[in-house]
Amino acid sequence: MNYSQQVLQALQDGDMAAEKQLFAKALRHDDDDTLYSLAEELYALGFLRQARRIYLKLLDKYPDEDELRTVLADIAVSDGHTDEALTYLDAIQPDSPAYGQALMTAADVYQTMGMPEVSEAKLKAAQELYPDEPAIWFGLGELYFSLGRYQEATIAYEQLLHDDIETFAGVMLYQRLGASLAGSGDYEAAISALTKLPEETLDKDTRFQLGFLYLQVKDYAKAIHLLSDLESADPDYTSLYPYLAEAQEKNGDLKGAYLTTQTGIAHDQYNEVLYQHAYDLATKLGDETAAEEYLKELLTINPDNQSAVLALSNLLIKQGRFEDNLALLNDHQPTENDPQMLWNKARSLQHMENYAEAKETYLLAYNQLKSDPEFLRDLITFFQEEGMVKEAILALQNYVKLVPDDFERQELLDELLDEQNF
């Protein structure tokens, strides 16, 4: 047994003290081919420091062996030494047999450095040399996928699959193709790709994605089946609950959807989407008390959730709880960018007989709601009650342009115009 073999045995036995001594002897006494094989074994096992020492020794002896530079660059990248990696790679000239590999390794380095445009250029250059090389197609696919350039990623993955390569570097290519097609909005094709995967290879993420895709193409029964199975397998996979509830609701099962949101909240107490959905479903099921509680819990999680503030305000207005609504909106202070909340505040002020502030608030909302007939009806009523005839006329004139078949308010406008001798 040579020293290199003894090094590997010591590592297998966990005897690091012996490994250190044997490694030094291997460097001195074993031949170059044996050392190269030892370096490959050490690299595969993750002992990069020792592998690097051997490769450097061999490179010093064989300076024209550029493959040694590519593996040294890989080790440098693993250690976070990108500049060192690029130094090795830049030394490899275009006429070297290792030049293509150097370009691909450089692409990985530049992607690690957050320079995807340079990474793409390196891969394209390698592809010109080796147009049919699967590793280059895979590198381009992964690069484009990471950048969200899904159509280009699709082309790369389809090329590999066309060549009957379904798995590369541990990545299932139908899974990547399905995700790329989904990212491009081609949901039917994405489903077709993902369903080509063997059932036993479908991990939780792929099952979730398939469920989501079936929801997008309105095949609610399949979406419910997949997402329900995923829930049974892993109830803590909390991303599934909003989509399962949506599929159940669209399939006509409001109670089932409501139960799903409640289950989801029990597993993920800070999921704002679930609270919003639970509020919507409670409202549709006629349980306004529960709906209000979900909105309040949502606002406890995120006091700045304006959609929840507006929904709660609308609910309080519907129930005639104007004082509670004012307290809510005083805490959140709507601006001109929140016209619906201003309108709700104005209505509450009006009912609380705070007419001066109600008028000011109505007018703040007017610019953005002047094309909303319902708002104008409230505004007209307010102006009438306050004896603001000219303002009522202007609001009515705007209103009848929007709703010309509202003869009652057209008649009211005519009466007011007659009274004012217009």
Side-chain angles (χ1 to χ4, degrees), residues 19-145:
E19 180 274 334
K20 186 175 181 181
Q21 293 178 353
L22 291 166
F23 182 77
K25 290 180 180 180
L27 282 176
R28 289 197 302 272
H29 300 295
D30 284 350
D31 63 70
D32 295 338
D33 288 340
T34 301
L35 283 175
Y36 185 80
S37 297
L38 176 59
E40 288 185 312
E41 292 279 357
L42 291 169
Y43 182 81
L45 292 169
F47 292 94
L48 302 184
R49 180 180 59 81
Q50 294 94 322
R52 180 176 182 273
R53 286 187 63 187
I54 295 174
Y55 286 129
L56 283 172
K57 175 183 173 70
L58 294 174
L59 182 62
D60 186 58
K61 192 171 182 179
Y62 305 102
D64 294 332
E65 292 295 328
D66 286 329
E67 288 184 4
L68 297 170
R69 290 186 171 88
T70 62
V71 72
L72 282 166
D74 283 333
I75 293 172
V77 171
S78 299
D79 289 338
H81 302 147
T82 53
D83 289 342
E84 179 185 337
L86 292 174
T87 298
Y88 286 124
L89 297 171
D90 289 343
I92 301 174
Q93 299 303 307
D95 59 353
S96 169
Y99 185 62
Q101 181 60 47
L103 287 170
M104 294 174 61
T105 304
D108 290 339
V109 175
Y110 283 111
Q111 190 168 0
T112 301
M113 295 170 66
M115 301 173 67
E117 66 286 350
V118 182
S119 180
E120 181 183 9
K122 295 293 183 181
L123 285 169
K124 288 288 190 182
Q127 194 173 50
E128 289 182 9
L129 295 173
Y130 308 103
D132 299 322
E133 172 55 49
I136 299 173
W137 280 107
F138 180 72
L140 283 167
E142 293 292 274
L143 175 64
Y144 292 140
F145 186 80

Side-chain angles (χ1 to χ4, degrees), residues 373 377 398-407 410:
R377 284 196 292 270
N398 190 15
Y399 176 84
V400 297
K401 289 178 184 176
L402 297 170
V403 192
D405 57 350
D406 189 334
F407 302 113
Q410 179 65 63

Side-chain angles (χ1 to χ4, degrees), residues 2 9 28 39 75 90 98 135 159 189 216 220 240 242 251 267 297 323 345 363 388:
N2 58 38
Q9 185 62 52
R28 289 197 302 272
I75 293 172
D90 289 343
Q159 176 63 41
Q216 302 312 303
Y220 303 125
L240 72 89
N251 206 41
H267 287 279
E297 289 176 29
E323 189 172 355
K345 183 176 181 180
L363 294 176
M388 301 168 65

Side-chain angles (χ1 to χ4, degrees), residues 343-376:
W343 179 11
N344 286 355
K345 183 176 181 180
R347 284 190 281 189
S348 297
L349 290 164
Q350 181 180 354
H351 279 87
M352 299 298 294
E353 300 182 357
N354 188 342
Y355 300 119
E357 191 175 350
K359 175 185 175 182
E360 180 183 341
T361 309
Y362 269 123
L363 294 176
L364 281 174
Y366 178 78
N367 280 337
Q368 293 199 51
L369 295 178
K370 59 187 176 184
S371 297
D372 185 324
E374 187 178 350
F375 169 77
L376 289 174

Side-chain angles (χ1 to χ4, degrees), residues 170-222:
V171 175
M172 291 183 290
L173 297 182
Y174 275 117
Q175 187 179 57
R176 278 287 199 273
L177 176 60
S180 298
L181 289 164
S184 299
D186 194 346
Y187 300 133
E188 294 281 5
I191 290 171
S192 177
L194 291 175
T195 50
K196 286 184 172 66
L197 290 164
E199 177 72 20
E200 64 275 9
T201 69
L202 296 180
D203 59 15
K204 294 173 186 177
D205 292 337
T206 306
R207 291 177 189 276
F208 170 74
Q209 187 172 43
L210 260 175
F212 169 81
L213 288 168
Y214 279 121
L215 175 59
Q216 302 312 303
V217 300
K218 301 181 180 179
D219 192 337
Y220 303 125
K222 287 183 179 177

Side-chain angles (χ1 to χ4, degrees), residues 224-264:
I224 292 168
H225 174 72
L226 277 162
L227 295 173
S228 295
D229 282 354
L230 179 54
E231 180 189 5
S232 298
D234 184 3
D236 290 323
Y237 196 105
T238 55
S239 299
L240 72 89
Y241 292 104
Y243 299 106
L244 176 56
E246 182 180 349
Q248 290 169 319
E249 181 181 0
K250 289 183 175 177
N251 206 41
D253 184 8
L254 289 183
K255 290 183 179 179
Y258 189 34
L259 178 60
T260 294
T261 61
Q262 293 172 313
T263 303

